[in-house]
Every structure is written in C-alpha cells, then in structure tokens.
Amino acid sequence: MMHPIRILGIDPGLRRTGWGLIEALGNRLTFVAAGTVTSDDKRELAARLVQLHDGLQKVIDDNAPQEAAVELTFVNKDAGATLKLGQARGIALLVPSLHGLEVAEYAPNLVKKTVVGTGHAEKDQIRHMVKILLPKAQFDTDDAADALAIAICHAHHRKTSAVRAKAEALARGAA
C-alpha cells in the first residue's frame, strides 16, 4: 500500500522566503500549507539569516515534511544581490538537511516548464496553474506560490532525481 509523501518546496530570498507543503500520492497532489518567512531588512545580514533559519525550522517542526526541494539561484547583474540570495539559499538548503531530509534542487526554468508548460512563464501564470493543480491552495505571496510550484516540480521529478542520485552514488563507490 502506498503512503503519501510530504514535500516542502522552498523559494529562497533574503527578504521573503516562500514555502509550500504538498502531499503526493502517485500522481495525486494535495495542498497542505504555504506561507512566507520574512526577515527584517533593518537588521544586519547575520541576524536576517537567523530569522530565515528560525522561520524554516518552525515550518519543518510544525509540518513534518519527508522531502524538500529548493529553487536554484540564478546569477543577475547585481553581484551583491546574487551573493545575498545565495546566502539565503544556503539557509534553505541547511535547515531541511539538518532534519535529515534529502534536498533536491531545480532550475527556475524547469519549475516553470513543469507547472506551466513553458520555461519562461510569468508570475501570474504560475499562480494560476498552482491554483488549478492544487484547487484548495492558499498562499499569501508570490514567493509562497513559487514554493508550491517547486514542490509540484519535485513531485513530478522525484523518481528521476532519486534514480540519478543513486547512480551517482554507485559511480562514486566504484571509482
């Protein structure tokens, strides 16, 4: 008998880190919860990272996900902003890992292509498709909608990710 898998999607950001939790049972996806962890932009960087850490810690403690997925960071023209986003992304990878969860990573274009059908979808298209795929979904920000999209992407690609990881582990062991 199959059991549903709780998947936590995380859309990292220094100001707002979106999170979305779904359950996947075969091809059936069910909305569980979503929200946004924020940091106070008047505080120093280290304190803001602690706020993100503590917020994600609470999300995991309250919802007990079994797997996590984080969006990959893209490099933009502002190197400082990219670096700060990378630090927030580090927190998004660290917290689930500290809980023993496997953390998958997905490029933004793959998330959009999986959920919307095109890799260059706009925010409103993502929100719309998340509501279609998860009719009971409620989210307070675009970041939370994006996090649900990341969780949906992981639900669709988790088997191939697991197979790829196992093959890589076997290859490392054979080397």
Side-chain angles (χ1 to χ4, degrees):
M1 185 164 126
M2 292 176 48
H3 297 283
I5 301 295
R6 276 195 169 206
I7 300 170
L8 175 64
I10 302 173
D11 181 32
L14 186 57
R15 286 188 196 130
R16 292 176 310 277
T17 290
W19 62 272
L21 192 72
I22 65 171
E23 285 189 348
L25 181 60
N27 290 331
R28 184 172 177 212
L29 304 177
T30 305
F31 170 77
V32 176
T36 308
V37 175
T38 60
S39 72
D40 181 354
D41 63 0
K42 293 179 180 30
R43 298 187 70 186
E44 64 184 49
L45 178 61
R48 294 176 74 185
L49 294 173
V50 169
Q51 289 175 318
L52 296 178
H53 172 277
D54 293 349
L56 286 174
Q57 180 81 28
K58 182 168 177 20
V59 167
I60 291 174
D61 288 344
D62 290 351
N63 295 289
Q66 296 158 298
E67 297 179 9
V70 176
E71 189 171 72
L72 287 167
T73 301
F74 61 91
V75 177
N76 59 37
K77 293 177 185 173
D78 182 351
T82 301
L83 182 59
K84 288 177 182 176
L85 177 58
Q87 291 168 329
R89 191 170 169 281
I91 297 297
L93 293 167
L94 173 70
V95 175
S97 185
L98 287 172
H99 285 269
L101 302 179
E102 293 288 328
V103 183
E105 301 174 68
Y106 297 97
N109 284 353
L110 179 59
V111 173
K112 292 173 184 177
K113 186 169 183 150
T114 301
V115 174
V116 179
T118 178
H120 299 288
E122 300 294 327
K123 293 279 186 191
D124 59 332
Q125 292 173 297
I126 295 167
R127 282 192 312 271
H128 180 73
M129 285 306 297
V130 166
K131 288 296 277 180
I132 288 173
L133 296 169
L134 302 169
K136 295 182 181 181
Q138 298 178 14
F139 39 87
D140 56 355
T141 64
D142 284 343
D143 303 292
D146 288 349
L148 286 167
I150 294 161
I152 292 167
C153 179
H154 181 64
H156 288 286
H157 294 281
R158 61 189 289 271
K159 289 182 181 170
T160 45
S161 295
V163 168
R164 188 178 331 113
K166 187 173 184 177
E168 288 171 1
L170 288 172
R172 281 192 305 268

